[in-house]
Amino acid sequence: MAVSAMGKCTCCPVVIGSQRFPHPSCPARNTPKPCCFTDKAERYATMFSNPGALAKKKKDCTENDLCYTGEFFDVAVWMRVLLTNDDGFDSVGMRVLRGIVSESFTEVWVSAPTHDRSAASKSLSVRTPIKVRTVSAQEFAVYGTPVDSVVVGIHEMIKVGKQPDLVISGINYGANTGPVVPYSGTIAAARAASRMGITAIAISQEYNGKRCENNVNDEALWKNSRKSALALVKRLLCDTRWDRKCVMSVNIPCSDVQGVRFTGHDSSNIKWEPCVERHESTSDDVHQVSYTIHDVRSSNGNCRSYDTQLLGQGYIVVTPVGSDVTDHATLDRYCGSQRCIQYT
């Protein structure tokens, strides 16, 4: 491949429609604005509108040049991805996610809590200094919540003139279905990125019914994520039915995968019950009481949301999660077809 003194391809861009992309092996592939593009929107317009387009050789390439010839263009090649989670920077789920994402994405950044912040939901550290440990130029351990971590990661990227094209939150240790969804820090981190205008996906891995330490690298537990997560992310990015205005929440089963199903997170009719442990102690004649909340579960073990049922049957469950928290059924009883009414 011929490369100019500036490090850009002179003979061998991949051509999709009227757009040109350098080959992934090109030394210039990490440049923020490859070839002729002037901004990110132009760069990805063709990929997202026609993701299955075949790449073509430029006519002045020779047979020895490393061009795409009849291969499908990989949408991940030119994307910058920011990874986050709620299980902590050093969690096994993050290591698994970093490993599979690094196989395809050009530029990977990580910004995650220093320790387990499960069930932190949408908590944001307002008016409180957030300490950040710089692990590397593109990796940050944040002494804060999952949402704090997303905000910090995005701002660290902006500081060097970049912005994520995609945020992936996960891979969470444990499913995020049914009544636990509103409390999930994994989903909340992705939703925070989505509200900032960035495409976001949350990924959670069901564990096999027996709780183990989050830092235990159980190959059997994570095998489905390693096998299926990256392909599903790419598939979602190519799906024009997703307008990127919501978060895609992906739950991966621990049993053999039977397929992929889209469904809702509706658990409004399921009463939830936190699993609580009470402790009493006396120190220096001071009696103290403390509580530990271990989990959130249905008060009736036989009453499970549909997404939980599908996951239990071995399906990868994908749910679009929006930001509208209005109870429209109640609002309609008050307002009918009007946008608002005077309350009398």
Side-chain angles (χ1 to χ4, degrees):
M1 177 185 295
V3 179
S4 71
M6 295 298 292
K8 291 189 177 182
C9 291
T10 57
C11 71
C12 201
V14 175
V15 178
I16 299 180
S18 60
Q19 308 295 344
R20 301 188 302 146
F21 300 83
H23 186 276
S25 298
C26 171
R29 74 189 186 100
N30 289 321
T31 56
K33 297 173 182 176
C35 281
C36 59
F37 294 124
T38 57
D39 57 32
K40 184 178 70 175
E42 183 184 2
R43 189 167 88 198
Y44 296 115
T46 300
M47 284 192 289
F48 285 155
S49 63
N50 190 15
L54 285 173
K56 300 177 182 177
K57 259 191 174 186
K58 192 178 179 183
K59 60 183 179 181
D60 56 348
C61 287
T62 67
E63 290 300 320
N64 294 325
D65 288 324
L66 298 175
C67 295
Y68 274 166
T69 310
E71 297 177 2
F72 285 96
F73 190 81
D74 188 342
V75 296
V77 167
W78 290 106
M79 298 186 77
R80 296 190 191 96
V81 60
L82 172 64
L83 309 183
T84 190
N85 67 5
D86 70 354
D87 287 331
F89 185 92
D90 294 316
S91 67
V92 176
M94 176 57 78
R95 293 203 297 271
V96 172
L97 180 62
R98 187 190 285 116
I100 61 177
V101 165
S102 297
E103 296 174 7
S104 291
F105 287 84
T106 298
E107 194 170 330
V108 180
W109 293 64
V110 180
S111 181
T114 54
H115 59 284
D116 191 348
R117 295 302 302 267
S118 295
S121 189
K122 296 182 286 185
S123 178
L124 183 66
S125 301
V126 179
R127 295 182 291 275
T128 301
I130 304 169
K131 294 182 180 179
V132 178
R133 175 166 54 89
T134 301
V135 180
S136 71
Q138 296 180 186
E139 296 183 331
F140 308 95
V142 181
Y143 293 84
T145 68
V147 174
D148 292 338
S149 299
V150 169
V151 172
V152 167
I154 292 172
H155 277 266
E156 285 292 331
M157 294 182 72
I158 291 175
K159 185 182 70 174
V160 294
K162 300 181 178 181
Q163 185 168 321
D165 304 305
L166 172 68
V167 169
I168 303 179
S169 182
I171 299 172
N172 189 67
Y173 175 66
N176 276 306
T177 59
V180 307
V181 170
Y183 306 95
S184 168
T186 302
I187 295 177
R191 291 179 70 184
S194 180
R195 293 301 298 272
M196 297 173 74
I198 300 168
T199 302
I201 298 173
I203 306 176
S204 304
Q205 169 67 62
E206 179 190 35
Y207 52 80
N208 56 10
K210 183 171 68 174
R211 188 77 183 179
C212 65
E213 293 299 321
N214 185 32
N215 59 1
V216 175
N217 191 3
D218 185 344
E219 288 294 328
L221 172 66
W222 300 100
K223 67 175 183 179
N224 286 344
S225 288
R226 286 191 170 99
K227 183 178 180 180
S228 304
L230 181 60
L232 183 55
V233 166
K234 291 182 179 181
R235 184 176 174 184
L236 289 170
L237 291 174
C238 289
D239 195 330
T240 56
R241 291 171 293 183
W242 181 24
D243 62 5
R244 316 294 194 278
K245 294 180 181 178
C246 66
V247 168
M248 287 297 187
S249 173
V250 177
N251 282 276
I252 300 175
C254 60
S255 58
D256 292 341
V257 175
Q258 303 301 312
V260 182
R261 294 288 186 271
F262 262 80
T263 190
H265 274 319
D266 185 18
S267 58
S268 57
N269 296 321
I270 300 176
K271 183 180 179 182
W272 70 275
E273 180 180 301
C275 180
V276 179
E277 184 178 354
R278 187 178 187 271
H279 309 270
E280 292 189 37
S281 63
T282 301
S283 177
D284 298 328
D285 297 327
V286 177
H287 182 69
Q288 294 181 329
V289 176
S290 63
Y291 285 84
T292 302
I293 302 176
H294 293 285
D295 210 342
V296 177
R297 63 189 179 189
S298 168
S299 58
N300 180 353
N302 296 322
C303 184
R304 301 192 301 167
S305 60
Y306 191 51
D307 54 349
T308 306
Q309 294 178 42
L310 286 172
L311 189 66
Q313 295 168 13
Y315 291 101
I316 296 175
V317 179
V318 184
T319 300
V321 179
S323 57
D324 188 354
V325 295
T326 302
D327 188 323
H328 289 280
T330 301
L331 184 64
D332 288 345
R333 288 196 293 270
Y334 280 87
C335 298
S337 60
Q338 300 182 61
R339 185 173 183 180
C340 68
I341 63 167
Q342 181 175 334
Y343 185 42
T344 57

